Amino acid sequence: MTDAVVIGAGPNGLVAANLLADAGWEVVLLEANDAIGGAVRSTREVAGSYVHDTFSSFYPLAAVSPTIKALKLGDYGLSWSNAPSPVGNPLPGGGWALVHPDPGDTAAALDALSPGDGQAWLELYADWRRVGPAIISALLNPFPPVKAGVELLRRLLGRRGLERLLLLIGPVRSVGDRRFSGEAAKLLLTTNSQHADIAPTGLGSGLMGWLLVMIAQQYGYPVPRGGAGRLSQALADRFVARGGSIVCGAEVGQVVVRDRRAVAVRTVDGTEYGAGRAVLADVSAPALYGRLIAPEDLPASVKARLRLFEWDPATVKVDWALDAPIPWKDKPELSPGTAHIADSVDDLRRWSAQLSAGQIPDNPFLLMGQMTTADPTRSPAGTESVWAYTHVPQKIRGDVGGTISGTWDDRDAELMAERVEARIEQYAPGFREHVVARRVMTPPELERRNANLVGGAVNGGTSRLRQELVLRPFPGLGRAETAIKSLYLASASAHPGGGVHGAPGSNAARAALAHAR
């Protein structure tokens, strides 16, 4: 019998386990895979001398997360690395929209492309410096964030308070049009907003775009030196150093409930781990409520609300080992770690509309990572470890390009990879000539590697307003507590959602500790 059992050794499960161990609890962490990390892992399977992150790579939210900072993971071997520029977009007419390390340099570059946009950028950054810390606190703390909410309201007031409010709630397209005249600055806002699954015309997309691009401006888009797996390993080493126990290859089959209280966890091989105080689940909400809890232990109201849960779009990810840096048609002034491929804000709106209609887009928006640019240890000198991903519908009704069936067999994987490469070639002619090796991961393959990525969904459920705050994972209190006593949801399906910031794990651990007291 231990004090707590944590299900899942992804970043949220590892954070939760660490916080409970810090409180003196005896904790066992169960992981279904043969290795820890969840969606924060890296391997050399694409090519032996190249490190590729299997899922996520850049961690801007970790850079601002109070939880991650407080764990002092540098003491356990973690170090961060940044590219010369955190993020940028090649422009169809030539040149780049780039975030420079210094906001003044970003403003000067934007002003050269469209006079007046530089000053508008600096005003946007000033808004961030005033309001940003309160927003981060409100987002990454348990809901409702009373103290952080009061502070946020206080900082929103004053001169230009209405503009700041519109920035938080408005669609990113409207925010960009109000603030900027040129396409470059608008693209920086809009492409960053698409790290979530909110359309450029959707409410809340302005906040997401502003949040991420301003974090890029202030902190960069850092990556763990040596690969994403170094972050997971540091979390695991810290946990074990505090007396914690990790069991890999331990797939959980059931949360044992007695008298409406979670008392143990049983793996598929029949091994039972008793939990004297709490069970914390870093699994998706549908997996927890639909599979791990026996139907007779689940209230009817929860079963009804579970049907409302909505996944975010599916993902196709392609990794390449290149024998040279990407041959961009227009070499950027500073090489960005993250590159976004979109022709315009209208192009993004069209792409988003195709996704919403269940169509595989013909001209996909790409999120790309130049990993050796961000961290020179990722591949030999003069080469590049690269990835790109794009979204496709969870339920496919057709393909705008007319060639992909949506079954995601080998043929579909090849055709989608070719579509992605053709998109890159528009801005980097000759890209294909430098490919040494390639890996294509379709939605079923992503889910096979990580059961939380259901259908290739990488954010633990849609980020649209209808499934955020008190509505996440479905209408309720938006907290880590579940319908079962001593059972807590610690995954990205819980508030505040996807991203490597540790907040769902932290919130679940704090809730468990509070209830135990």
Side-chain angles (χ1 to χ4, degrees), residues 6 94 98 102 145 266 314 322 356 447 475 512:
V6 178
L98 281 177
D102 185 282
R266 187 177 297 125
L322 303 184
S356 296
E447 183 176 352

Side-chain angles (χ1 to χ4, degrees), residues 79-164:
S79 62
W80 295 100
S81 182
N82 275 285
S85 162
V87 62
N89 302 69
L91 301 172
W96 282 72
L98 281 177
V99 173
H100 294 243
D102 185 282
D105 292 338
T106 306
L110 292 174
D111 214 54
L113 293 168
S114 182
D117 279 1
Q119 182 58 38
W121 183 268
L122 293 176
E123 291 174 358
L124 203 64
Y125 187 60
D127 286 336
W128 167 255
R129 296 301 298 269
R130 176 183 174 90
V131 181
I135 290 176
I136 290 169
S137 180
L139 285 175
L140 300 187
N141 278 298
F143 197 86
V146 178
K147 184 178 178 181
V150 171
E151 178 65 11
L152 176 57
L153 286 174
R154 187 182 72 80
R155 290 178 177 270
L156 280 172
L157 299 175
R159 189 174 67 87
R160 294 177 42 234
L162 179 60
E163 284 184 64
R164 284 191 286 268

Side-chain angles (χ1 to χ4, degrees), residues 253-272:
Q254 184 180 5
V255 174
V256 180
V257 178
R258 298 191 184 104
D259 297 324
R260 297 195 299 174
R261 180 185 181 89
V263 297
V265 167
R266 187 177 297 125
T267 60
V268 294
D269 67 1
T271 305
E272 189 163 300

